[in-house]
Amino acid sequence: MKITISGKNIEVTPGLKDAVESKLGKLERYFTPDTEVIVTLSVEKERQKIEVTIPVKGSMIRSEQVSNDMYVSIDLVEEVIERQLRKYKNKLVEKHHGGGIFQQEFFDSAQDEDEDDAVKIVRTKRFGIKPMYPEDAAIQMELLGHDFFVFSNAETEEVNVVYKRKNGSFGLIEPEFN
């Protein structure tokens, strides 16, 4: 496993580097040696944030954790990544897919998915999608009091999603077909 650590508004000290490598190193047994793990540490005011991204076959395992102590954030991110790995393992096992970047121990590990970790869809909604511009979709989202809104983009005729970001601004998700 290759861990790449960078810092934004923070110097990556040997202590921080050791903490990240120690925590995420616990996951090394699951991945092949050439698996890339991208870690970004950042500080904004009192917010100590760590972002971890692990590209996997056709998807991505990612977590972002924030606290007032970087070492606490590092502990939290490791727990979330491990939980995501359990979910991803069960998905692969259920669909009988090959693991790509995972070693056999990942599938053989005794940590099966907890009941709380199971993905359960408890409600399905259906609604008509009208063509509209992203700005109009953002207004509609605000009127509904939602954090996101799915719509047909009048400019591109594709399904898009507008969403509210943590800082109060808006984001737009557009599909990209490979």
Side-chain angles (χ1 to χ4, degrees):
M1 206 165 76
K2 299 174 188 170
I3 301 175
T4 305
I5 304 171
S6 62
K8 291 181 185 174
N9 301 328
I10 186 173
E11 179 187 343
V12 181
T13 64
L16 284 174
K17 186 177 180 188
D18 289 346
V20 168
E21 290 176 347
S22 170
K23 278 291 181 181
L24 296 181
K26 294 176 182 177
L27 308 174
E28 192 165 23
R29 62 188 171 169
Y30 299 132
F31 295 101
T32 58
D34 59 336
T35 301
E36 303 243 357
V37 178
I38 300 129
V39 178
T40 305
L41 307 175
S42 61
V43 176
E44 295 173 17
K45 298 182 183 174
E46 297 296 316
R47 295 169 29 113
Q48 310 275 322
K49 180 166 79 169
I50 180 171
E51 299 172 58
V52 177
T53 305
I54 307 170
V56 295
K57 186 179 179 182
S59 188
M60 176 169 300
I61 294 174
R62 185 179 186 287
S63 179
E64 176 181 305
Q65 296 298 313
V66 179
S67 74
N68 58 359
D69 180 350
M70 186 60 78
Y71 292 97
V72 171
S73 297
I74 292 168
D75 289 344
L76 292 171
V77 83
E78 187 263 338
E79 292 170 12
V80 172
I81 293 285
E82 205 153 5
R83 188 167 49 243
Q84 288 179 353
L85 283 171
R86 283 195 304 270
K87 287 181 184 179
Y88 190 73
K89 176 183 82 170
N90 288 336
K91 177 181 164 187
L92 290 176
V93 169
E94 285 173 12
K95 295 188 177 188
H96 307 291
H97 288 183
I101 68 164
F102 296 103
Q103 294 190 42
Q104 188 58 41
E105 185 172 336
F106 176 68
F107 297 102
D108 296 341
S109 68
Q111 290 182 323
D112 285 329
E113 183 175 317
D114 298 330
E115 280 296 313
D116 294 341
D117 290 342
V119 175
K120 296 176 187 154
I121 297 174
V122 295
R123 184 175 178 193
T124 300
K125 281 186 162 185
R126 295 189 182 275
F127 59 94
I129 297 180
K130 296 181 191 173
M132 61 177 67
Y133 293 96
E135 294 78 13
D136 297 330
I139 292 168
Q140 186 67 37
M141 176 187 69
E142 288 286 296
L143 290 172
L144 292 170
H146 291 174
D147 295 326
F148 69 93
F149 187 78
V150 179
F151 69 102
S152 173
N153 191 321
E155 296 169 337
T156 63
E157 298 181 359
E158 293 179 330
V159 174
N160 288 184
V161 176
V162 289
Y163 62 96
K164 189 130 189 179
R165 297 172 48 92
K166 290 179 184 175
N167 66 7
S169 63
F170 298 97
L172 176 67
I173 300 174
E174 297 177 318
E176 181 177 85
F177 301 100
N178 299 350

